[in-house]
Amino acid sequence: MWEGEANVEFVEKDVREASLKPTEGRVKSLRPFAMQSLSRKGPVFADHNSIYSKEARPDDISFPSTRFYGSKRRQLTWLREEFKSLEGVTALDAFGGTGAVSHLLRDLGWETTYNDIFEFNIISARTLFSDSTHRLSEDTLLKFLNRVRPTEGFITATFEGLYFTTQENMWLDGFMACLPSELEKNRDLLLHCLFQACLKKRPFNLFHRANLNLRHSEMPVQFGNRSTWNKSFDTHILTTYREVQLAQTARAQSIQVTSGLCAGKIAPGFDLVYLDPPYFKRAKRNTETYLERYHFLEGLARYDEWPSLIDQNSSLRAIKRPYRLEWTNKQELLVNLQHMIKKHSGAKFALSYVADEEPTEEELFNLFRENFDRVRLSRRSFNRVLSKKRPFEILLIGQ
């Protein structure tokens, strides 16, 4: 399959349309791109027989549910199929996010290193890839929650009328006031559960707009539900705790978690580097950054510093710039990718992105062809929340 100086394999799979036939649908739209590539460099292998469709199904890899935009949790079965034939020992998940792919790589036997630029993700990763629920029992968690008393503090004074009700803001202040009295080894787990509770109580699970009015509106809900929004923080925290506990029951070897580095500053030495960078929408001049979407969680993660991080000119009380800005410029994404490939020369690379966005699929494909002898392009269609379109997720693997 990989014969020749520069080999490319195309695999396109649709998990939405069970009626799609091997010679119909999006194969036709992919063919001109394949032929154009063929004329520039080396032979192209287009595996049309393996282009099939199947119904979406629950993933068979145990990992706690998350409410983050762009999470790969629903794609783990597909990614497992793509990664299982790769050889090597050490793997880097450079934009770790929820940690779902790190979890998968560990499950496949890789000695995995998780990295992310944001503190709230680092805290969650330290929670998920440890024995945190063994150190903090459910009974101890409930006793902690019972000690929380609503109080007027920084959150109440700063975020009135934005993301949560006044009473909920006071409860958050009470939670954060109790946290320092808890053992340091238990704080990560408590914060991770709080992060997930905050997301569940938010319309759209984001903080890029206030949207508190949607919780009080009588209009039909198009995303999320009022029952979830109106459940207490305690209830959501307990649910998340139990999910983490279940995932840790079958935990294999641990995953190394960095201190939170810029991806470009991570030292080389890995056999596989997986990249899931921010996506940039082609139709928009500016795409909301992850910091804009989750600044509230980052504030909770850096609670003592939060007052000094606030942009006082922001109506949303977002974190001011510059703050850990990484890969936030669409014009620089290809340059950043090239830098990573050169820095980790000799490593296999896997890149997740979305088709029909910027940079284009063809630009990303050409970047891989210029840097690797063997390239595999796999595409699958997944329904995405907050989107009326059904875009193809793409996975490029270069060796």
Side-chain angles (χ1 to χ4, degrees):
M1 184 178 296
W2 296 115
E3 296 177 0
E5 183 177 271
N7 298 285
V8 178
E9 181 181 5
F10 292 95
V11 181
E12 182 173 3
K13 304 175 184 180
D14 191 314
V15 298
R16 295 181 293 105
E17 303 173 73
S19 61
L20 186 65
K21 297 179 181 179
T23 57
E24 296 179 346
R26 287 174 170 77
V27 176
K28 184 177 180 181
S29 65
L30 182 63
R31 192 181 300 274
F33 171 42
M35 294 304 294
Q36 185 179 20
S37 301
L38 173 63
S39 65
R40 281 201 297 270
K41 183 180 180 182
V44 173
F45 176 77
D47 186 7
H48 296 299
N49 291 326
S50 69
I51 299 174
Y52 66 93
S53 60
K54 59 184 178 181
E55 294 289 347
R57 63 179 184 271
D59 209 288
D60 62 354
I61 301 169
S62 173
F63 191 77
S65 63
T66 65
R67 300 298 179 105
F68 287 109
Y69 183 85
S71 171
K72 292 293 178 289
R73 183 175 182 268
R74 293 178 61 246
Q75 301 179 25
L76 291 182
T77 298
W78 170 43
L79 294 178
R80 175 188 280 276
E81 293 174 9
E82 298 295 330
F83 291 162
K84 66 183 180 182
S85 62
L86 296 177
E87 296 181 353
V89 176
T90 59
L92 168 66
D93 186 1
F95 295 85
T98 64
V101 175
S102 288
H103 176 89
L104 168 63
L105 291 169
R106 177 185 64 186
D107 190 57
L108 290 171
W110 292 85
E111 295 177 8
T112 306
T113 296
Y114 169 101
N115 178 73
D116 199 273
I117 193 66
F118 294 114
E119 187 67 22
F120 69 90
N121 278 332
I122 291 294
I123 288 173
S124 290
R126 289 200 302 255
T127 295
L128 296 172
F129 306 134
S130 69
D131 59 350
S132 57
T133 57
H134 298 280
R135 298 195 303 262
L136 180 69
S137 67
E138 182 172 317
D139 183 61
T140 303
L141 170 65
L142 292 173
K143 289 179 180 178
F144 172 84
L145 293 174
N146 286 333
R147 292 201 306 270
V148 174
R149 295 292 180 268
T151 183
E152 293 188 26
F154 169 75
I155 296 174
T156 306
T158 306
F159 298 99
E160 177 65 27
L162 290 178
Y163 308 119
F164 302 106
T165 67
T166 300
Q167 192 64 23
E168 288 169 344
N169 284 334
M170 293 175 64
W171 190 92
L172 289 171
D173 275 321
F175 181 101
M176 298 308 294
C178 287
L179 192 62
S181 64
E182 190 58 44
L183 293 175
E184 185 174 357
K185 64 181 181 181
N186 295 334
R187 293 175 197 166
D188 283 349
L189 174 58
L190 291 169
L191 281 171
H192 168 75
C193 294
L194 181 64
F195 298 155
Q196 291 300 312
C198 287
L199 290 173
K200 290 176 182 178
K201 289 178 66 63
R202 287 288 302 147
F204 309 108
N205 309 138
L206 297 168
F207 297 88
H208 65 314
R209 300 188 186 96
N211 286 334
L212 184 58
N213 62 307
L214 295 179
R215 290 181 54 183
H216 305 302
S217 171
E218 296 182 359
M219 297 291 290
V221 175
Q222 296 182 342
F223 180 82
N225 63 80
R226 290 191 175 87
S227 175
T228 299
W229 299 339
N230 292 330
K231 286 181 180 178
S232 68
F233 282 109
D234 304 61
T235 299
H236 287 311
I237 285 172
L238 185 57
T239 298
T240 298
Y241 174 90
R242 289 171 176 169
E243 289 183 350
V244 174
Q245 187 177 48
L246 182 63
Q248 289 180 342
T249 299
R251 186 175 63 88
Q253 72 271 24
S254 63
I255 292 173
Q256 181 177 347
V257 180
T258 72
S259 58
L261 304 171
C262 294
K265 295 184 178 180
I266 300 174
F270 298 93
D271 299 320
L272 171 66
V273 176
Y274 173 72
L275 301 176
D276 182 24
Y279 304 156
F280 296 99
K281 296 185 180 297
R282 188 182 305 178
K284 290 186 177 181
R285 182 177 180 181
N286 296 311
T287 302
E288 291 157 346
T289 67
Y290 271 69
L291 179 62
E292 290 170 327
R293 291 170 178 155
Y294 302 113
H295 62 91
F296 192 87
L297 303 186
E298 187 70 0
L300 289 172
R302 301 182 63 185
Y303 186 73
D304 292 340
E305 306 167 71
W306 203 356
S308 64
L309 298 175
I310 294 288
D311 181 356
Q312 298 300 332
N313 294 320
S314 168
S315 61
L316 298 175
R317 298 298 183 265
I319 291 177
K320 59 188 175 185
R321 296 191 178 194
Y323 176 87
R324 300 189 180 185
L325 295 178
E326 181 184 37
W327 299 46
T328 56
N329 187 323
K330 67 171 68 177
Q331 284 75 31
E332 297 177 357
L333 182 56
L334 288 173
V335 175
N336 291 334
L337 287 171
Q338 180 71 48
H339 172 75
M340 284 288 291
I341 292 172
K342 292 299 183 184
K343 183 169 185 176
H344 296 265
S345 176
K348 301 176 179 67
F349 266 76
L351 170 70
S352 288
Y353 211 72
V354 179
D356 300 323
E357 300 296 0
E358 193 169 333
T360 66
E361 182 176 351
E362 183 173 1
E363 288 174 316
L364 295 170
F365 172 78
N366 287 336
L367 176 67
F368 268 60
R369 295 200 70 190
E370 292 167 1
N371 287 277
F372 299 103
D373 295 328
R374 298 181 291 178
V375 177
R376 176 181 174 88
L377 170 60
S378 181
R379 312 166 90 237
R380 280 202 184 183
S381 181
F382 289 87
N383 290 323
R384 304 195 76 188
V385 297
L386 305 181
S387 176
K388 296 180 180 179
K389 299 194 313 180
R390 295 175 175 176
F392 270 97
E393 300 281 343
I394 67 173
L395 179 71
L396 276 162
I397 298 178
Q399 303 184 61

